Amino acid sequence: MSVAAFRHDWTRDEVAALFALPFNELLHRAHSEHRAHHDPNAVQVSTLLSIKTGGCPEDCGYCPQAARYHTGVKAEKLMSVDAVVARAQAAKHAGASRFCMGAAWRSPKDRDVVKVAEIVSAVKALGLETCATLGMLTDTQAQTLKHAGLDYYNHNLDTAPEFYGEIIHTREYQDRLDTLEHIREAGLKTCCGGIVGMGETRTQRAGLLQTLANLPEHPQSVPINQLVQVEGTPLHGTEALDPFEFVRTIAVARILMPASMVRLSAGRQEMDDAVQALCFFAGANSIFYGEKLLTTGNPDVEHDRALFRRLDLHPLEVIEEAGTVHADILETEANGCGQGCGCSAAA
Ligand code: SAM
Ligand code: DTB
Ligand code: SF4
């Protein structure tokens, strides 16, 4: 099916009906969709870096970087180009193909965007895909980042429209939709998803996925985060989501947005390996790799390498415009010669 033929007119009832399928039926449908559009054994690997940490004026109820909550996160200024490049180089060496840079801004000033554009160009020159998440952008800011070589912009809708006002009071859902439009119009690829486990109902989880699937284009990348509960944030202490409900959310995202990369995003450190395996079967094909997300923990690199080996997964290779392919260091170090045969010969 061509991308143009994908549906953008899902009703809430239709999405809710997918959530309500018997678990095995849902996973069968999601996995079949997954296989039709993706290599079921390939997982795209991104590394995150917080390039400007904490001190954010927004009040997102989940976020440890909001200045108003006492979470122990120390506010730090925007990192220098050299410092970010050193971290990007290390991420590439460890096997990441995409480098995602996050900043705790409500919306960057034009002079901030100029500095981030310089960082983006330097990271791109390493041969990595680039992604940034800096808050709300104007149309011209989005264009500046595109010209600098930015591939993806991450801007999450986070939850269903009707639940948004219970989690965030300092901006509107429409503000997010407006930035997403600026991103698309600038020709950037969209990375847009949300968080589950914030006390929302299943209907509201369906509402998030319905909104994402009904955007004018499916986001090329759809991060599904499980709430990382941080002491000091209003959502700390929220009742944990049943892990199978998280798997269902991944499966429904895969069915609604068949060609998108669905990222098993924040929350993996708190998740069993078996649940992660179910997520990969249900259609997740992207992860954050590296010990840290922005301010909270992620599984350590050795653990993820072992998980890839145990599940026979391999990192997705990225064909660059110039025609070169990223060195598959994750696989090389895990499997010896890099041919995926599991031998112990050096590469
Ligand atoms: N300030 C920018 C913004 O809000 O768009 C960019 C950074 S913000 C930290 C990026 C995303 O991280 C949020 O949209 C949210 O989806 C996710 N996030 C933040 N805190 C989280 C948490 N505790 N658990 C899961 N996801 C979280
Ligand atoms: C996304 O959807 N999840 C990432 C990334 N995009 C920027 C962020 C997760 C943050 C988890 C909390 C933290 O580490 O501060
Ligand atoms: Fe600020 Fe982004 Fe955190 Fe909200 S999610 S408080 S906008 S850093």
Side-chain angles (χ1 to χ4, degrees), residues 220-271:
Q220 285 80 6
S221 173
V222 180
I224 304 295
N225 297 276
Q226 174 170 274
L227 174 69
V228 179
Q229 300 211 8
V230 180
E231 219 173 316
T233 59
L235 289 183
H236 182 245
T238 305
E239 193 184 338
L241 191 71
D242 177 352
F244 296 132
E245 186 67 13
F246 186 85
V247 178
R248 281 182 194 267
T249 309
I250 295 275
V252 176
R254 168 52 66 221
I255 293 168
L256 299 190
M257 294 167 278
S260 302
M261 303 301 288
V262 174
R263 182 173 301 136
L264 169 51
S265 193
R268 286 198 307 119
Q269 200 174 40
E270 294 75 22
M271 214 175 270

Side-chain angles (χ1 to χ4, degrees), residues 3 48 107 116 128 136 192-193 200 212 302 319 324 326 333:
V3 171
L48 254 183
S107 46
V116 175
L128 282 161
M136 294 180 277
C192 182
E200 75 285 343
L212 292 168
E302 283 316 318
I319 315 242
T324 51
H326 281 289
E333 290 190 1

